[in-house]
Structure formats: structure tokens, C-alpha cells
Amino acid sequence: MKNTTIRTAARRGVTLAAVSMAGLALSATAANAATSTSTWDALAQCESGGNWATNTGNGYTGGLQFSASTWAAYGGTGSAADASREQQIAVAEQVQAAQGWGAWPSCASKLGLSGGATAVAPQSAPVQSVPVQSVPVTQAPVTQLPAAPVVESVPQHAAPVALSGDTYTLEPGDTLITAADKLGIEGGWQSLADANLDTIANPDMVFAGQVLQLPA
């Protein structure tokens, strides 16, 4: 009888202890949830003035100012501005777990929120190294090709051109083509360029005020 009474009391003690522990765990969870909700409200107040339905057209929507890509990547559908406060907080928790409070750098700094991502990436199984057998490589003989013949460049307009003694000063917007057409030079701009080989290195690069010798 005495032993039975002791065992019964022991069972009651264990039961009460289990109930007490469960109550403490629920209380801690509720406290964390309240703190988390308060934190998200404070962050939304900083980001959007606490307007969970805001959409100003700046590319960020909702109370926590999600970009469209971030919202979709972390489980959001449609626009964050159309989602409820609870839905936005649920997506924000995913973002914070992956990116840390740095996802909201300015406001997180103002509110004293710090810390990196809390999500733990799955560990990959160790990769067993496989011994690689070395295989001798036989180098193919290199056949030397005959050197290509050297082609001497020949200037296209190197022939001497007789000069008339007259000159023309290029005006703004002039090119050799327009100047040759304007002056009616036989042989066109090529003849005009050949008459000025000493001063024109590139026929495409002439400038207003440049004095050209005119061919005869």
C-alpha cells in the first residue's frame, strides 16, 4: 500500500512537470511571435509609413517594400500591395531567413536590427575522390607551314598631281567629297587628296580652316 502511494505521487509529479514545461514553451513561442510582429510593424512604419497596401510606382510595393522579383521568389503571388499584412510578414520572414536584415538596410539600421541569414543550407554528402589514372599522351608531330609571302602595301593615290597654284579653305561641314563637287575638280576627291598628300594623312579627317592646294 505504501509503495503504491509513492508510485502514484511520482506519476503525478511527472505529469505536472510535463504540463508546466509545455506551458512555458507555449508562453515563449507567443512572446517571440509578439516580438516578431511588433518588429515587422516597426519596420513597415519605417519603410512605408505603415501602409501595407502602398504602391507608389517606384518598383517596391507593400508595407515592407518588396520588389516584384523578391516577392515572387519567396512565395508571394500577385502584388505585395494586394496581399494582407499577415501574408506580407510570412514572405518577409522567408526573405529575412535567407538574406538577413540586410534586405532592408536603411530601416533595419535605424531600428537596430542586425544579424545575417538564419536559414541553413542543406549539407551535401561528401564527395569521394576517385583516383585518376594517368594516361601517357603522345604529341603529334608539328608540320611547319611555309611562311606566307609578304605583300608590300602600295598607296592608292601616290601619283604626283600637277597643282594649279590656287587654294581653297575648307568651310565648316566641308569634306573632300563636298569640296571637290563644289569646286568641280576633275577626278573628284581622290584628285584633291593626291594634290595635298603633304597635309592630308587621312582623307576622312579634314577640318574647317584647312587650306588645300587645288590640282591643275
Side-chain angles (χ1 to χ4, degrees):
M1 183 66 177
K2 185 176 182 180
N3 291 336
T4 302
T5 302
I6 293 174
R7 286 196 296 270
T8 301
R11 284 197 298 271
R12 289 178 180 173
V14 171
T15 302
L16 290 173
V19 171
S20 299
M21 292 297 293
L24 289 174
L26 289 174
S27 298
T29 301
N32 288 337
T35 300
S36 177
T37 301
S38 176
T39 299
W40 291 122
D41 284 335
L43 189 61
Q45 184 66 36
C46 176
E47 290 285 344
S48 63
N51 184 358
W52 294 90
T54 185
N55 183 1
T56 61
N58 65 348
Y60 297 90
T61 58
L64 298 170
Q65 293 292 277
F66 294 98
S67 66
S69 59
T70 299
W71 175 253
Y74 290 92
T77 57
S79 171
D82 298 327
S84 67
R85 168 181 171 276
E86 289 72 20
Q87 289 173 326
Q88 293 183 46
I89 290 177
V91 172
E93 288 174 344
Q94 300 296 323
V95 175
Q96 195 279 332
Q99 300 182 17
W101 291 111
W104 299 271
S106 178
C107 285
S109 177
K110 290 180 181 178
L111 297 174
L113 301 174
S114 62
T118 58
V120 179
Q123 295 182 353
S124 58
V127 180
Q128 296 181 352
S129 60
V130 179
V132 180
Q133 297 181 354
S134 60
V135 179
V137 178
T138 304
Q139 186 175 4
V142 178
T143 304
Q144 186 173 4
L145 298 177
V150 178
V151 179
E152 295 183 357
S153 59
V154 178
Q156 295 182 353
H157 305 289
V161 174
L163 303 179
S164 65
D166 296 328
T167 61
Y168 174 74
T169 302
L170 291 175
E171 299 176 351
D174 272 345
T175 65
L176 289 185
I177 294 176
T178 60
D181 291 343
K182 185 189 302 183
L183 299 172
I185 295 177
E186 185 178 355
W189 69 269
Q190 294 94 337
S191 180
L192 187 58
D194 291 342
N196 294 273
L197 291 175
D198 293 339
T199 58
I200 298 179
N202 184 345
D204 293 329
M205 296 180 64
V206 294
F207 53 90
Q210 187 172 0
V211 179
L212 302 181
Q213 298 290 331
L214 302 183

